[in-house]
Amino acid sequence: MDIPNEKLIEMYRGMLRIRHFEDRVKDLFAAGEMPGFVHLYLGEEAIAVGACSALEKDDYITSTHRGHGHILAKGGKMKFMMAELYGKATGYNKGKGGSMHIAWPKLGILGANGIVSGGIPIATGAAFSAKYRKSGQAAVCFFGDGAASEGTFHEAVNIASAFNLPVVYVCENNLYGVGTRQRDVRNIEDIADRGIGYGIPGLVVDGNNVVAVFEVVSEAVARAKNGEGPTLIECKTYRWRTHFEGEPDTYRPPEEVAYWLAREPIAPHRKLLIEQGILKEIEANQIEKDVLAELADAVEFARTSPLPDPETALEGLWA
């Protein structure tokens, strides 16, 4: 696939935005500045950026409890994201969504979801709506390996196949559902093989290669929009942190963690851009500086924003 240089550069910027955002959230949460729970996307940046780079602004996504990366990759602004994590009135959902439930329909973001597999039927419904309205939109559903064994996964994929819906199911297989190793609870090597049972393509891709993710999702989105139905894509990846911040890392072998840390997705993409003459090193460094400046502004915005007025607690809860 011939990918424009500008798109490759934006992928680099997009992954850096997620990496630095999440790394800063890690420190801020540890310092006690944020309420609730935080599930970080560190190490999986290539999936969100590669997949969302294949979408138009009005295409839909649904996300998970580990959803900061998806929302940033779909065009979310750091300052409104950070304010939401702080529970502030200036956040995307006025502080009521928090880390696990951010939604912004104006960008096609139909919501992160604290319920495992909760976004899968929502994306399927959005795809049904797009087909019914003949809008030309597609939906991409992000979910984890644990969600692939939930009943809603099977029900939704069956409906999408039966009705030939424009939806792409993107499984982020990071090997663990909370602390449960996935090979201990399923008898197949690849979750993508489950596509066979529903008569749809099931594809496996290196989830740490942003270009590979972009190419396979682009093809799946094109199929969806051409009326050829859904695709199941399994992205092999790894989360650097434990399931949630503050959880003891007692279930992952240190050598396994070290192996995956060495396979991180951003440095190889940066190297590729420089070696191919798409970016100079000084330009790559400047992009990172710009991302860090955006992040600093976002933290300041969140810290100085007001908390929600208790009288507004019930506003915006119903359609």
Side-chain angles (χ1 to χ4, degrees), residues 258-309:
Y259 168 80
W260 282 97
L261 285 172
R263 295 190 67 244
E264 74 92 18
I266 301 179
H269 188 65
R270 173 190 167 110
K271 181 181 179 182
L272 176 73
L273 295 181
I274 293 174
E275 287 181 347
Q276 293 189 354
I278 297 171
L279 264 186
K280 296 177 181 177
E281 188 164 353
I282 190 171
E283 294 171 326
N285 292 340
Q286 185 59 52
I287 289 172
E288 189 157 17
K289 289 178 182 177
D290 293 343
V291 167
L292 289 169
E294 180 190 6
L295 178 58
D297 289 343
V299 174
E300 179 64 18
F301 177 80
R303 281 174 169 165
T304 57
S305 289
L307 289 165
D309 186 332

Side-chain angles (χ1 to χ4, degrees), residues 20-78:
H20 287 299
F21 183 90
E22 294 290 71
D23 200 46
R24 189 77 173 103
V25 167
K26 169 176 65 68
D27 294 338
L28 293 169
F29 183 79
E33 292 197 29
M34 292 177 178
F37 283 92
V38 167
H39 304 73
L40 296 179
Y41 199 69
L42 288 168
E44 302 182 28
E45 298 89 352
I47 302 174
V49 171
C52 289
S53 294
L55 300 177
E56 301 296 333
K57 182 178 179 180
D58 66 344
D59 287 326
Y60 300 116
I61 69 166
T62 59
S63 182
T64 71
H65 54 275
R66 200 178 310 284
H68 307 160
H70 308 139
I71 295 160
L72 287 170
K74 191 59 168 65
K77 294 187 180 298
M78 277 191 187

Side-chain angles (χ1 to χ4, degrees), residues 10 74 85 100 110 120 209 237 241 249 259 272 276 317:
E10 283 308 304
K74 191 59 168 65
L85 267 62
M100 290 190 282
L110 301 182
I120 301 176
N209 184 325
T237 188
R241 308 288 292 176
D249 196 355
Y259 168 80
L272 176 73
Q276 293 189 354
L317 297 185

